[in-house]
Each structure stands twice: as structure tokens, then as C-alpha cells.
Amino acid sequence: MGNKKELRELSVVDVVKDIAKRLGVDYEEENNEVCVDIPEHIGTGNIKAIAFSHGMGMINLDMRLKEEVRFELNQSLVQPLEIIFNSESAFTHEFDGKGKIQEIRHLESAILSCNSRHGNVITLPANEPICFFNLEINRKRFEEKIESFLPDMNAELEALFRDVNGVNLFFYKGHYSLDIAKCIEESNECEHTGFTKSVFIEGKCYEILAHHLRQYLDDLTDPDKRKILRQATVEKIEAAAEIINSELEHMDNILALARRVGLNQNTLQSGFQHLFGLSVNQYIKNARLEMAKNLMETTGLNITEITYKIGINSRSYFSKLFKERYAMTPKQYLKKLSQPKNEPPQSA
């Protein structure tokens, strides 16, 4: 494969075919989809591409390389708009000749637009899992589809889509949303075939584009006022939930918990509401009651010991919460557990 590849083709399908040619391997093609398996001496994994109408295309890379590889994406005619969503190891992007290198990290997305003088250069690391989903839009062909919507767009986005010949350089990155992550997962797990598969994935690509345009506008607002939940934020919220479940006996306050996972308190609260339908305090209360019930069923601890074990300092308050949840006091529940189970009825 070498360390440097220059790709001049415009279509995503042609790009993947060109990669196959340079690797000296065959590719599989069906309708508007092409797939290349990475040969063993290069690494493992595959590259897939599907071309759609109006200049929209998708490339999906899922591989691990034995050597670092630098891709130069220098289309010679119309410069497409690229939107990349990275779900694994970081890789870098630069505009050839500009000298500024940008790292696109785990769960980050980037909008890229090169020009004829400064092409996109992507450098993929060696011995790391590489997995990213790339939407490519030929803006000249896409113009017909989007023309009537452009006047209502944010001025910067309108200028980006109206730059149909790719004259201006553009780079923007941020963490992509949970909705986008779900769409990519659904696209990758599609079990349809033929026309149905093509239509399904094309629909997902447009859904991803719509979500990403909304997210771009959301990114322009104050971080504390953003309404869209990022996938990276979801991982931090899940980490907070794991901390709660494992450290109930000495649970920090919400502000300290937010700081531990790298979020502000408002984002943590809204994230818990989005993922679990509960506030952080409600989640903590539920976790404590579930743990208390489990301790009663599996240990010989008394009620006072269980009360402190779940991080509550008042036995009466614990009894009140337990009764609200399970319609009986802890004492009544322990008594119920100690009663022998009824013998099954004897057969006649």
C-alpha cells in the first residue's frame, strides 16, 4: 500500500475502486455499492462506498493498518463537501500546503471543503482501530435538491452549499450527536439487500445530514444552552451512572459528580433526563432502593447496616423511601423474606 496515496476520482464508488487497484486486490460491486477487503499484508478490515442521486455518496471505513497511511484527496474538477464522523481512534486532517494539522478524535465529526490548490490530506495511524463514516456531497449536483432551502439557512451554511465549485476552504469540527450515532449504527447494521438496502441507507444519510446541520447551529449557542445531546456526552453520563452504582455508600454531591466526568451540572441533569427519564437525584434514589432490596435478599445485614451501606444516614428516611417504592417497610420485607415459601400442591 505504501505510505502515500493520491486519489483524483470524484465518485465515492470510483475512489474505492481506485484504492482496490492500488492495493492490487479485487473489489465486490453490486448495483451502486462497492466493497474492498484490506489484504493481510496491509492490515485487516474493509472499505465500503455507496453512491446515491443528486451527488450524495457515503464511504465507511472499518480497518486496522500495519503502517501509517497518508491519503491525498485531490479531486480535479468539483471539490465535494465532506462530513466525517469518527467512532474510533484519532486521525489527522490537513489542507495540502497550508501546514495546519487538525486531529479528528474519537466521537468527533468534521465538515471539510478543500479547493483545487489545497486538497484534503487524511493521515491514518498504524496499529489502531480506524472506523469512520463519511458523507460526500457533490455540491454542483446537489444544488438542484437544496436550492429552495438555501435562503432559510444560516448564512455560513448557505455560503458553504452555494460554493458549488469548491473555491473556499472550510473546516469545522465538534462532537457529534446521539441521534447521528444511532443513524450510523442503523445504517451499518442494515440487513436489507438490493434496492431496499440502497433506499434505506440513502434515507439514513439524509437523516444524518439533517441532524448534523441542526447540530452545527446548536454548536453556535452557549454550551450551557445547547439542546442536542452529543455522543461523547452520553459516554460521560453513562460513566456518571456507573460511579453512582458503584459508590452509593459514599456518593458525592451532583456538582462533584459532574466535575468528575467532565460535564457541567446542567448538562449532567439534562443528560440523565434524556437517557433515563430521571433527574440525577431520582436516579440515585432508585439505585439506593434497588441496592437495599438486593442486600436484604442476599446478605444477613440488618436494616441499620443496610441504611448506611446505601449512603443514607437516617433509618426512618430510608423506611419512608422504601415503603413509597415497594408498598411495605424494610422490616416487613425482611419478615416476608424469612417466611417459608408455600409448598407446591400435591398431585392427586
Side-chain angles (χ1 to χ4, degrees):
M1 192 176 196
N3 292 327
K4 182 176 177 180
K5 300 297 169 198
E6 186 174 350
L7 307 173
R8 294 187 176 276
E9 290 75 7
L10 185 59
S11 162
V12 292
V13 167
D14 287 337
V15 167
V16 175
K17 287 181 180 179
D18 184 77
I19 291 173
K21 180 180 178 182
R22 294 168 187 270
L23 293 177
V25 297
D26 293 330
Y27 57 83
E28 294 182 10
E29 185 173 18
E30 183 178 357
N31 301 320
N32 58 343
E33 179 179 0
V34 63
C35 177
V36 172
D37 290 326
I38 303 299
E40 287 186 16
H41 69 281
I42 301 296
T44 58
N46 58 65
I47 306 173
K48 298 178 182 178
I50 305 179
F52 306 113
S53 62
H54 295 92
M56 172 80 86
M58 176 276 288
I59 297 180
N60 193 52
L61 284 85
D62 186 359
M63 58 189 182
R64 186 186 291 262
L65 301 170
K66 293 182 178 180
E67 296 181 4
E68 179 184 281
V69 174
R70 175 183 166 99
F71 284 102
E72 294 185 4
L73 302 158
N74 299 316
Q75 287 80 6
S76 57
L77 299 175
V78 178
Q79 314 303 327
L81 184 65
E82 313 276 358
I83 309 177
I84 297 176
F85 305 92
N86 182 23
S87 60
E88 282 293 350
S89 302
F91 57 89
T92 63
H93 168 272
E94 62 184 292
F95 292 117
D96 191 25
K98 296 297 286 184
K100 185 176 182 180
I101 298 175
Q102 299 273 5
E103 189 175 42
I104 302 174
R105 302 182 182 91
H106 178 57
L107 300 181
E108 285 187 335
S109 58
I111 305 175
L112 317 172
S113 177
C114 66
N115 60 29
S116 58
R117 293 182 58 194
H118 305 288
N120 289 313
V121 178
I122 301 289
T123 302
L124 305 179
N127 302 312
E128 297 285 348
I130 300 163
C131 187
F132 65 82
F133 186 97
N134 179 36
L135 286 182
E136 182 173 294
I137 302 171
N138 179 323
R139 286 169 286 184
K140 205 171 188 69
R141 295 178 59 198
F142 199 67
E143 186 177 23
E144 179 184 351
K145 190 173 188 68
I146 201 172
E147 175 63 34
S148 61
F149 300 100
L150 287 173
D152 298 324
M153 279 190 176
N154 161 275
E156 197 169 28
L157 284 178
E158 180 183 0
L160 183 64
F161 278 98
R162 287 195 185 279
D163 185 15
V164 295
N165 293 313
V167 174
N168 301 308
L169 297 177
F170 185 90
F171 182 92
Y172 178 84
K173 74 169 184 173
H175 286 97
Y176 60 87
S177 71
L178 179 63
D179 290 327
I180 291 173
K182 288 180 178 177
C183 286
I184 292 173
E185 182 180 0
E186 289 166 356
S187 174
N188 289 337
E189 294 179 355
C190 174
E191 296 181 352
H192 301 300
T193 58
F195 176 74
T196 306
K197 177 180 180 179
S198 178
V199 170
F200 178 85
I201 295 180
E202 182 175 10
K204 287 299 170 185
C205 287
Y206 277 107
E207 193 174 347
I208 290 167
L209 177 61
H211 282 308
H212 201 60
L213 296 180
R214 285 180 55 240
Q215 181 186 311
Y216 176 81
L217 298 178
D218 195 54
D219 282 347
L220 300 180
T221 64
D222 185 281
D224 291 341
K225 296 180 180 179
R226 291 175 184 171
K227 298 179 180 179
I228 297 175
L229 192 62
R230 273 58 173 173
Q231 177 68 6
T233 304
V234 170
E235 292 195 348
K236 292 179 180 180
I237 292 165
E238 290 173 341
E242 289 179 8
I243 290 172
I244 290 170
N245 293 330
S246 62
E247 300 181 16
L248 281 173
E249 189 174 356
H250 306 290
M251 190 64 236
D252 289 329
N253 60 46
I254 296 174
L255 179 59
L257 177 63
R259 286 174 176 167
R260 283 181 66 180
V261 296
L263 297 174
N264 64 56
Q265 191 170 340
N266 290 338
T267 302
L268 185 69
Q269 289 283 15
S270 62
F272 264 76
Q273 197 66 50
H274 184 97
L275 288 186
F276 307 114
L278 301 167
S279 69
V280 178
N281 279 330
Q282 288 171 330
Y283 186 93
I284 292 172
K285 183 177 76 171
N286 283 359
R288 282 175 168 153
L289 292 174
E290 288 289 341
M291 183 177 181
K293 183 170 176 286
N294 182 61
L295 289 172
M296 290 180 194
E297 294 169 351
T298 60
T299 73
L301 296 176
N302 61 42
I303 294 173
T304 300
E305 290 171 326
I306 290 173
T307 300
Y308 287 107
K309 193 76 174 172
I310 63 172
I312 295 178
N313 296 325
S314 167
R315 176 169 167 162
S316 61
Y317 178 62
F318 166 56
S319 295
K320 174 178 176 292
L321 293 179
F322 194 91
K323 187 173 183 179
E324 287 175 355
R325 175 71 178 271
Y326 299 110
M328 64 180 73
T329 66
K331 186 176 181 179
Q332 290 170 330
Y333 189 69
L334 281 176
K335 184 177 180 180
K336 178 183 176 182
L337 290 173
S338 65
Q339 293 174 349
K341 294 181 180 179
N342 293 330
E343 292 292 331
Q346 298 292 323
S347 57

